[in-house]
C-alpha cells in the first residue's frame, strides 16, 4: 500500500483565479494519477503524471487548464487554472502499486464562486 | 469505448443480510479487477482485488470473477450499517498503461 498526503483538503476560490493541489507519497512511484469526481459521479481521470516527462492528458482535459508538475518520484502538483464554477469538484491524486491497486489521497474539495 | 457498468442503486438490505453488488466490463483484455468503498465525502478505499476466475474471500467480503461472461461481483455477508456506502468497480488492462476504468458506483444502504 501507499500513504498519500494531499492538500489542501478544501478551498473556496474566486472565479478567474488558480489553485494548486499538492500530493506527497510516502514511497517512490513511477506514475501518479489525477482524478476529478463531481457530485454523485464516478472518477474521471484527468491525467497521468510521470517523473521526468510531460503529463499525459485524457480527452477533454488540456495542459493549459490543468498544468501538472512531477519534480520527483514522491511528489506532484495539479493546478486548476482560470477557474469557473464548473470546476467545482473533488480532485483526487492516486498512485498504483505493481498489481495496479490504486490508493488515493484524502481529496481536495474545490468550490468556485 | 472501454466501459465498466454497475447498477447505480440504491441497493437496500436489512442488517445481517447478504448484499450482492454486480459489475460488467466491456474490455476482454482486462486482467485486474477491483472493488472500492467510498463513504460520502471521503476518498475511495480498496476492499478487494481479483485477478483469476472464481471466488476470493476476505472476511465478510467475497469477490467473484467470470471472465467468460465479463462479470465481477462483490458479496458482503452479515451486512452492517457501517457498510452503507458507494461501491465502485474498476478494471485494468496492463496494455492500457495500467489505467483503471471505473464504474459509476452502486449505492448500498444497510438498514438496522
Amino acid at each position: 500500500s501507499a500513504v498519500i498526503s494531499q492538500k489542501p483538503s478544501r478551498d473556496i476560490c474566486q472565479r478567474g483565479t488558480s489553485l494548486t493541489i499538492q500530493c506527497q507519497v510516502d514511497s517512490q512511484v513511477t506514475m501518479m494519477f489525477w482524478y476529478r469526481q463531481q457530485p454523485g459521479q464516478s472518477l474521471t481521470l484527468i491525467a497521468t503524471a510521470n517523473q521526468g516527462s510531460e503529463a499525459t492528458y485524457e480527452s477533454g482535459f488540456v495542459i493549459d487548464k490543468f498544468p501538472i508538475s512531477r519534480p520527483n518520484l514522491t511528489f506532484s502538483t495539479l493546478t486548476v487554472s482560470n477557474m469557473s464554477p464548473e470546476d467545482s469538484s473533488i480532485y483526487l491524486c492516486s498512485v498504483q502499486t505493481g498489481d495496479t491497486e490504486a490508493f488515493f489521497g484524502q481529496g481536495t474539495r474545490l468550490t468556485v464562486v | 469505448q472501454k466501459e465498466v457498468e454497475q447498477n447505480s442503486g440504491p441497493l437496500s438490505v436489512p442488517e445481517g443480510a447478504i448484499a450482492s453488488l454486480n459489475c460488467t466490463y466491456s474490455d476482454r483484455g482486462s486482467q485486474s479487477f477491483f472493488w472500492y468503498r467510498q463513504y460520502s465525502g471521503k476518498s475511495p478505499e480498496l476492499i478487494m482485488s481479483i485477478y483469476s476466475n472464481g471466488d476470493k474471500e476476505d472476511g465478510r467480503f467475497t469477490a467473484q470473477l467470470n471472465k467468460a461472461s465479463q462479470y465481477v461481483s462483490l458479496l458482503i455477508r452479515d451486512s452492517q450499517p457501517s457498510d452503507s456506502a458507494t461501491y465502485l468497480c474498476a478494471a485494468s488492462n496492463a496494455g492500457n498503461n495500467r489505467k483503471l476504468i471505473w464504474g459509476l458506483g452502486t449505492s448500498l444502504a444497510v438498514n438496522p
Side-chain angles (χ1 to χ4, degrees), chain A residues 26-37:
Chain A
D26 68 341
S27 58
Q28 294 184 338
V29 292
T30 305
M31 292 189 288
M32 295 178 71
F33 301 85
W34 287 97
Y35 288 91
R36 182 172 71 184
Q37 186 174 33

Side-chain angles (χ1 to χ4, degrees), chain B residues 36-106:
Chain B
Y36 286 80
R37 177 176 62 199
Q38 186 174 27
Y39 293 115
S40 180
K42 301 294 186 182
S43 310
E45 55 179 330
L46 180 67
I47 299 176
M48 295 281 288
S49 57
I50 187 166
Y51 309 100
S52 304
N53 278 330
D55 295 359
K56 179 181 178 181
E57 186 175 318
D58 184 0
R60 295 186 297 113
F61 300 96
T62 299
Q64 299 174 317
L65 174 60
N66 184 326
K67 290 187 178 179
S69 300
Q70 297 177 240
Y71 177 90
V72 192
S73 66
L74 180 70
L75 300 178
I76 307 175
R77 289 182 299 280
D78 187 24
S79 295
Q80 301 297 310
S82 59
D83 294 326
S84 299
T86 296
Y87 289 79
L88 299 167
C89 175
S92 174
N93 182 336
N96 193 28
N97 202 26
R98 301 171 66 211
K99 283 191 296 187
L100 288 165
I101 308 299
W102 295 86
L104 293 177
T106 298

Side-chain angles (χ1 to χ4, degrees), chain A residues 66-113:
Chain A
F66 297 100
I68 287 172
S69 77
R70 185 79 202 276
N72 57 53
L73 291 173
T74 63
F75 187 79
S76 180
T77 67
L78 170 76
T79 299
V80 186
S81 303
N82 188 23
M83 288 184 286
S84 66
E86 291 71 34
D87 295 319
S88 297
S89 190
I90 297 172
Y91 292 84
L92 293 156
C93 67
S94 172
V95 301
Q96 292 179 208
T97 62
D99 289 328
T100 73
E101 296 177 345
F103 299 91
F104 291 87
Q106 302 92 325
T108 297
R109 183 179 294 271
L110 171 62
T111 302
V112 183
V113 297

